[in-house]
């Protein structure tokens, strides 16, 4: 192991790691809203709207993220969809994770006992008030934990955007290997950085989970 | 309270109510009137439709045919759609207190918040006044010391008493009890019955679905035996429980009183 080299390339990898974090956070942020939209669409009485949401989720879950990324980045321009690499990574990441996240959100909402809804409605609360005051506080803990798992998936998925030449952690590692011919050192270092990022995320999730657990008995 | 004046004024009117779940017709044309300040108990074997009937009054079950009126206002409104019906039913429900077999207290809220949530959010009652109201109600069900405790720390009987207080907080015109003591250990039934008894003494209009034959006999003004989605027999409780006319009622009571 060439430790001097490892120390030398660390600043470059740390910088690239920020791109990884940046892409992941933005994907998670937009993905959350898309996921909420998908949950909402599935509550429609009008069946075709529900089918659209279910269909979208099936297609996204039924195809590899890698293929989705390549399709949008290389196929998109043919239909006028030109995205720069980072935007493409964020957008595809968001739309991808939203499919999984909508299922996680729906599952956590459905895990709340139906008697809770009946009790709330019987007091005269409307659907939205019931959701906000009764259902969400009780499903928050489970929701946080499931979304946290997806955040970790998202961070690891972000290594795939290296294929469309976004200079994130994995692409930077490959570049450095191209000039130093030391894959063991550099990939070890980049793997270690992923571990740090992911453990930090897990810590945040755990704290949020414990906070939310105060309000739940599930 | 002005209960003397309109003693025979109908509070809940159930008229020719039909309800099916798929091919199974669980209510086959039920009629019942509960007058102001009166207590009506519905008994019957499980699957008889008695809980469905009670839930229909609160529109937790949507009836297929017939009418249900609360204090002269029609509860089911097949002519109303979407948000218009939402507003209508939310308003109606604020006048009905419902108590469930499994309490359905909100586990993420303290006892007092369970009680005050609806007055605060729906009646825009200031928190301080809501808390006073909540404490008064907790006092009434004998649980003032449990105000800031979460429901999980309460026994079944205590939970049900809080649930009754929660329903009372909206000052409902009627109280609906859906097997309020069925999920309780036998030794906890009495404390809930006592609270219901005290409501009876205050002339609260009540519709009670119950398995507690003794309690139903003692507090009710009227008793109804249902089986297979029809009313088999209804009369004064003293008669229904000691000397019913119908054989089905006799069989049911014999089984129930022996077990």
């Amino acid at each position: 192991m060439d430790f001097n080299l490892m120390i030398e390339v660390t600043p470059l990898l740390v910088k690239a790691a920020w791109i990884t974090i940046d892409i992941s956070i933005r994907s998670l942020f937009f993905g959350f809203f898309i996921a909420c939209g998908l949950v909402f669409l599935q509550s429609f009485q009008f069946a075709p709207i529900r089918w659209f949401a279910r269909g979208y989720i099936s297609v996204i879950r039924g195809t590899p993220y890698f293929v989705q990324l390549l399709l949008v980045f290389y196929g998109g321009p043919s239909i006028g969809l030109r995205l720069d690499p980072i935007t493409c990574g964020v957008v595809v990441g968001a739309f991808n994770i939203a499919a999984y996240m909508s299922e996680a959100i729906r599952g956590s909402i459905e895990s709340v006992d139906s008697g809770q809804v009946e009790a709330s409605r019987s007091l005269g609360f409307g659907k939205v008030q019931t959701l906000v005051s009764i259902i969400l506080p009780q499903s928050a803990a489970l929701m946080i934990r499931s979304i946290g798992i997806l955040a970790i998936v998202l961070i690891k998925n972000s290594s795939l955007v290296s294929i469309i030449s976004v200079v994130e952690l994995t692409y930077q590692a490959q570049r450095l290997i191209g000039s130093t011919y030391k894959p063991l050192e550099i990939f070890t270092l980049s793997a270690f950085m992923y571990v740090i990022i992911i453990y930090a995320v897990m810590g945040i999730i755990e704290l949020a989970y414990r906070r939310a657990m105060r309000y739940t008995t599930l | 309270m002005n209960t003397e004046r309109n003693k025979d004024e109908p509070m809940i009117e159930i008229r020719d109510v039909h309800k099916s779940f798929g091919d199974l017709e669980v209510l086959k044309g039920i009629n019942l009137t509960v007058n102001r300040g009166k207590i009506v108990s519905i008994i019957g074997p499980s699957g008889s439709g008695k809980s469905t009937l009670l839930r229909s009054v609160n529109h937790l079950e949507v009836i297929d045919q017939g009418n249900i009126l609360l204090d002269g206002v029609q509860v089911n409104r097949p002519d109303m759609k979407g948000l218009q019906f939402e507003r209508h039913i939310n308003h109606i429900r604020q006048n009905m207190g419902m108590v469930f077999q499994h309490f359905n207290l909100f586990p993420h809220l303290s006892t007092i918040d369970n009680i005050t949530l609806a007055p605060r959010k729906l009646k825009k009652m200031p928190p301080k006044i809501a808390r006073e109201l909540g404490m008064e109600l907790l006092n009434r069900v004998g649980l003032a010391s449990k105000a800031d405790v979460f429901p999980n720390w309460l026994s079944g009987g205590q939970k049900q008493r809080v649930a009754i207080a929660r329903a009372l907080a909206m000052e409902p015109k009627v109280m609906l009890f859906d097997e309020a003591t069925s999920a309780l250990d036998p030794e906890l039934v009495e404390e809930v019955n006592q609270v219901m008894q005290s409501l009876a003494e205050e002339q609260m209009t009540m519709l009670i679905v119950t398995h507690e034959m003794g309690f139903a006999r003692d507090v009710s003004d009227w008793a109804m035996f249902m089986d297979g989605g029809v009313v088999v027999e209804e009369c004064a409780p003293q008669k229904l429980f000691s000397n019913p006319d119908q054989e089905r009622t006799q069989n049911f009571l014999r089984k129930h009183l022996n077990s």
Side-chain angles (χ1 to χ4, degrees), chain A residues 7 15 71 79 100 108 142 158 160 167 187:
Chain A
I7 292 163
K15 211 174 148 199
L71 181 67
I79 53 162
Y100 298 89
S108 65
L142 188 57
S158 76
L160 293 172
V167 191
F187 275 140

Side-chain angles (χ1 to χ4, degrees), chain A residues 123 125 134 215, chain B residues 105-106 108-121 127 130-131 134-135 138 146-151 162 166 169:
Chain A
L123 287 167
F125 284 111
I134 306 300
Y215 304 108
Chain B
L105 289 179
F106 306 132
H108 60 299
L109 299 176
S110 66
T111 299
I112 186 106
D113 285 340
N114 261 279
I115 297 169
T116 60
L117 184 74
R120 278 185 288 129
K121 301 262 175 185
R131 190 171 170 98
M135 287 310 298
L138 276 175
K146 305 284 186 193
D148 297 302
V149 168
F150 281 78
V162 173
R166 176 177 69 179

Side-chain angles (χ1 to χ4, degrees), chain A residues 56-77:
Chain A
Y56 174 82
I57 292 166
S58 301
V59 168
I60 294 289
R61 297 208 300 181
T63 52
Y65 174 61
F66 197 44
V67 172
Q68 294 162 12
L69 196 64
L70 294 172
L71 181 67
V72 173
F73 190 70
Y74 293 111

Side-chain angles (χ1 to χ4, degrees), chain A residues 113-127 129 133-135 137-138 214-217, chain B residues 55 58 60 86 89-90 93-94 96 98 100 104-109 117-118 121-122 152 166-167 170:
Chain A
D113 178 41
S114 62
Q116 293 290 309
V117 177
E118 291 190 347
S120 170
R121 297 308 305 273
S122 78
L123 287 167
F125 284 111
K127 285 178 187 166
Q129 267 178 319
S133 299
I134 306 300
I135 305 300
Q138 293 185 55
R214 285 191 217 160
Y215 304 108
T216 187
T217 49
Chain B
R55 290 163 57 82
N58 203 328
L60 287 173
E86 270 284 304
I89 197 66
N90 290 343
R93 279 170 171 160
Q94 291 182 30
M96 282 193 263
M98 176 108 182
F100 299 89
N104 297 350
L105 289 179
F106 306 132
H108 60 299
L109 299 176
L117 184 74
K121 301 262 175 185
L122 297 171
N152 264 12
R166 176 177 69 179
M170 290 299 282

Side-chain angles (χ1 to χ4, degrees), chain B residues 193-254:
Chain B
N193 281 349
Q194 273 173 14
V195 171
M196 290 169 71
Q197 177 86 49
S198 76
L199 286 175
E201 283 157 14
E202 291 164 35
Q203 310 234 305
M204 172 64 82
T205 310
M206 298 200 261
L207 185 54
I208 301 171
V209 166
T210 187
H211 285 134
E212 292 291 312
M213 302 304 156
F215 180 73
R217 183 178 50 213
D218 294 343
V219 303
S220 311
D221 298 297
W222 196 250
M224 188 163 112
F225 173 67
M226 278 180 74
D227 193 9
V230 295
V231 177
V232 176
E233 186 167 359
E234 55 175 324
C235 56
Q238 293 75 11
K239 176 169 163 50
L240 188 85
F241 288 104
S242 50
N243 188 22
D245 291 332
Q246 302 292 323
E247 205 186 318
R248 274 154 95 184
T249 318
Q250 290 162 10
N251 286 339
F252 172 77
L253 286 172
R254 196 175 307 127

Side-chain angles (χ1 to χ4, degrees), chain A:
Chain A
M1 282 275 220
D2 185 345
F3 289 105
N4 283 335
L5 173 78
M6 287 171 86
I7 292 163
E8 209 175 299
V9 299
T10 295
L12 282 171
L13 284 177
V14 168
K15 211 174 148 199
W18 279 113
I19 305 288
T20 290
I21 293 168
D22 178 51
I23 290 177
S24 303
I25 288 175
R26 283 201 275 165
S27 289
L28 192 69
F29 180 79
F30 295 121
F32 177 74
F33 289 102
I34 299 165
C36 290
L38 287 169
V39 173
F40 181 62
L41 291 183
Q42 285 177 76
S43 72
F44 268 69
Q45 295 269 318
F46 187 58
I49 293 179
R50 291 203 310 271
W51 296 336
F52 167 76
R54 293 306 309 166
Y56 174 82
I57 292 166
S58 301
V59 168
I60 294 289
R61 297 208 300 181
T63 52
Y65 174 61
F66 197 44
V67 172
Q68 294 162 12
L69 196 64
L70 294 172
L71 181 67
V72 173
F73 190 70
Y74 293 111
S78 319
I79 53 162
L81 185 69
R82 258 169 244 281
L83 298 171
D84 67 81
I86 289 191
T87 310
C88 186
V90 169
V91 168
V92 178
F95 276 94
N96 173 272
I97 211 70
Y100 298 89
M101 213 188 287
S102 69
E103 293 290 89
I105 292 171
R106 208 165 62 101
S108 65
I109 287 172
E110 282 171 3
S111 72
V112 176
D113 178 41
S114 62
Q116 293 290 309
V117 177
E118 291 190 347
S120 170
R121 297 308 305 273
S122 78
L123 287 167
F125 284 111
K127 285 178 187 166
V128 176
Q129 267 178 319
T130 299
L131 182 71
V132 172
S133 299
I134 306 300
I135 305 300
L136 288 182
Q138 293 185 55
S139 52
L142 188 57
M143 200 183 293
I144 286 167
R145 194 156 256 191
S146 345
I147 289 177
I149 292 165
L150 292 172
I152 290 166
V153 170
L154 194 60
I155 292 163
K156 294 195 223 176
N157 271 355
S158 76
S159 65
L160 293 172
V161 300
S162 60
I163 199 69
I164 56 172
S165 68
V166 175
V167 191
E168 44 66 69
L169 192 47
T170 300
Y171 188 79
Q172 181 64 289
Q174 284 173 323
R175 275 214 311 210
L176 289 166
I177 291 159
S179 57
T180 61
Y181 307 106
K182 299 278 184 177
L184 179 65
E185 284 83 351
I186 288 172
F187 275 140
T188 303
L189 201 52
S190 70
F192 182 64
M193 286 181 185
Y194 276 113
V195 169
I196 291 172
I197 295 168
I198 283 162
Y199 269 79
V201 170
M202 281 164 70
I204 295 167
I205 295 159
E206 194 56 34
L207 284 177
Y209 174 75
R210 281 195 204 151
R211 252 195 105 79
M213 264 312 271
R214 285 191 217 160
Y215 304 108
T216 187
T217 49
L218 295 174

